[in-house]
Amino acid sequence: MTILAFDFMRRGLIAALLVGFAAPSIGTFLVQRRLSLTGDGIGHVAFTGVGLGVLLRTSPVLTAVVVSILGAVLIEVVRERAQASGDVALALLFYGGLAGGSILIKLAGGTNSALGGYLFGSLSSVSSGDLAVIVTLSLVVLATMLVFLRELFAVCQDEDVAHVSGLPVRFLNLLVAVGAAVTVTVAMRTVGLLLVSALMVVPVATVQLLSRSFRGTLYGACLLGAVMSVGGLVLSYYADVPPGGSIVVLSLTGFLVAAIAASVRKRVVR
Amino acid sequence: MSVFDLQHGTVVLGGRRILEEVSVTVDEGEFVAILGANGSGKTTLVRTLVGLNPLEAGTLTVFGTPLARFREWPRLGYVPQRLSVGGGVPATVGEVVASGRTGRLSRFRRFSRDDRAAVAHALEDVGLSDRAGDPVATLSGGQQQRVLIARALAGEPEVLVLDEPTAGVDADSQDTLAGALGHLSNNGGSVVLVAHELGPLAGLIGRAVVLSHGQVQSDGPPPQPEGHHAAPGHVHVHPHADEQPPSTFGLDR
Ligand SMILES: Nc1ncnc2c1ncn2[C@@H]1O[C@H](COP(=O)(O)OP(=O)(O)O)[C@@H](O)[C@H]1O
Ligand SMILES: [Mg+2]
């Protein structure tokens, strides 16, 4: 395997593996609440964080974490108060995030290719410092989801009933929001900010075509996410395309296969 | 002791006064029906009782404790007004019902034998034991309504608050529901039931609170079916009966 001969590839593969596990673990709860596009929103907002990091000459991952957590909390507050205008408020936040990032990066003298790396992922960009951050944060996200699994399921299933059960609903909602924000920044190097949401949502959408239970969907999606993430990264190395693109195309292909399998199964059962 | 004691409760939602000076008390072991036309404030009232709507004015105690200081949530069971179980990810009947125990469990404790027994019992109560492994989405509307009730029962509450659990539910499910609620009531539990059509539940009701335009119109013995409509299944509140006195209940079928 010549692919493993390069340090940056080894780092990239480890990052892809962990991100592949972590992203669908958050994604399952977003899909459960029908908030599949939240990850996209946070990705847009995180872009401003990246721009800020480049401008301030500090680690863009760090500033992206901070800004996207702020964005995710803001999105959650808007969701909680959601009236008819909630949808528009979110849209404004998304556009602002993307526009802010593009301006800040240009102000800092960044190049278009650096910009593309953040938006669509880049193979060579995971430094060993980045890897330490990615590994730590992915494990924290996964552990948190596991510890709060039961409560998160109850809250995402029915918020009112969770309230009356005495669960800390607002805390749990913020946990999902912050978890999503952390996952977005962790996945930024490999899949890129514009495609990170796909890694959260597509494995869940795929597995739920074939599974019956919530647990089955959650664990299946994490496994599938890891396979697709690593597979897509390898593909990007050999095909010389941005990893975000190959990971998502591979995931979507998996979705198509599962959709066909599900419809065949339905016909056979009938 | 009273389970719920709401005195002069006023609730404002979206800038509108939805409940105006409503006083309702539910004592332990009582089976109280909340009746009234669509939009009369039934849902708002029960949501207020379980702490989901803030009070603009008035006082509310739950099991003798002012709501703000109330912490014994597992004593309450709540079945919201829903058409289906919901959620974007598949879940089995067993998983949804088991989630009703979450409020009783501490974060790191595993699901114990007692928990499993409570879930099995709740499923049995609503007649869905054989469906525990099925995805909720494959059940009929009436069966999903029963899943919501089983979820509340799984928490082994002392009082069960149900918001129109019989709306659009088949006769079979209504009978099962009547059985489950009768069982809870016979074991000393309290029930607050919002209903629009009582059906087979009529015989269980001890008291009826009738709402009209966000105020209590009457509070007393349940409306008696009259004449040849005397069968309990015929107690019926017409959706637009808001302006009429409660004595006409049961006459429109
Ligand atoms: N969140 C809300 N904001 C504004 N108005 C509301 C809200 N919820 C309910 N209402 C209004 O309050 C009135 C009573 O509603 P509700 O309690 O749902 O009645 P019922 O359950 O008896 O049909 C209705 O006119 C309804 O439109
Ligand atoms: Mg209602």
Side-chain angles (χ1 to χ4, degrees), chain A residues 28 31-34 147-148 150-151 153-154 156-161 163-168 171 204 208 211-217, chain B residues 47 50 52 73-74 76 78 80 82 85-92 95-96 99 102-103 105-111 133-135 151:
Chain A
T28 304
V31 173
Q32 168 76 351
R33 302 212 119 134
R34 304 182 195 284
V147 167
F148 291 95
R150 215 157 39 200
E151 285 162 276
F153 175 65
C156 294
Q157 184 76 38
D158 197 318
E159 207 168 307
D160 287 341
V161 170
H163 255 295
V164 180
S165 308
L167 297 182
F171 166 77
V204 181
Q208 73 177 7
S211 80
R212 306 159 69 82
S213 69
F214 187 82
R215 258 169 214 276
T217 308
Chain B
R47 282 177 61 87
V50 298
L52 289 172
W73 295 103
L76 304 187
Y78 172 55
R82 300 259 188 278
V85 174
V89 173
T92 64
E95 283 180 317
V96 173
S99 77
T102 310
L105 302 173
S106 66
R107 197 154 289 144
F108 294 98
R109 226 195 68 203
R110 299 188 49 139
F111 219 64
D134 290 352
R151 175 176 65 189

Side-chain angles (χ1 to χ4, degrees), chain A residues 15 19 45-70 105 117-118 125-138 181-190 193:
Chain A
V19 166
V45 174
F47 194 51
T48 289
V50 169
L52 211 59
V54 174
L55 191 67
L56 298 176
R57 311 242 172 263
T58 62
S59 154
V61 176
L62 214 66
T63 46
V65 171
V66 173
V67 171
S68 58
I69 286 178
L70 289 177
I105 289 180
Y118 288 112
S125 67
V126 182
S127 69
S128 47
D130 284 342
L131 186 64
V133 174
I134 290 172
V135 169
T136 313
L137 291 180
S138 315
V182 170
T183 309
V184 164
T185 30
V186 159
M188 159 174 96
R189 291 299 202 181
T190 43
L193 290 173

Side-chain angles (χ1 to χ4, degrees), chain B residues 13-16 18-19 36-45 53 81 163-164 194 211:
Chain B
L13 296 176
R16 274 183 53 209
I18 311 292
L19 296 182
N38 282 339
S40 59
K42 305 182 296 294
T43 294
T44 307
L45 173 59
N53 285 333
Q81 184 170 13
D163 197 348
E164 304 221 27
V194 173
L211 293 185

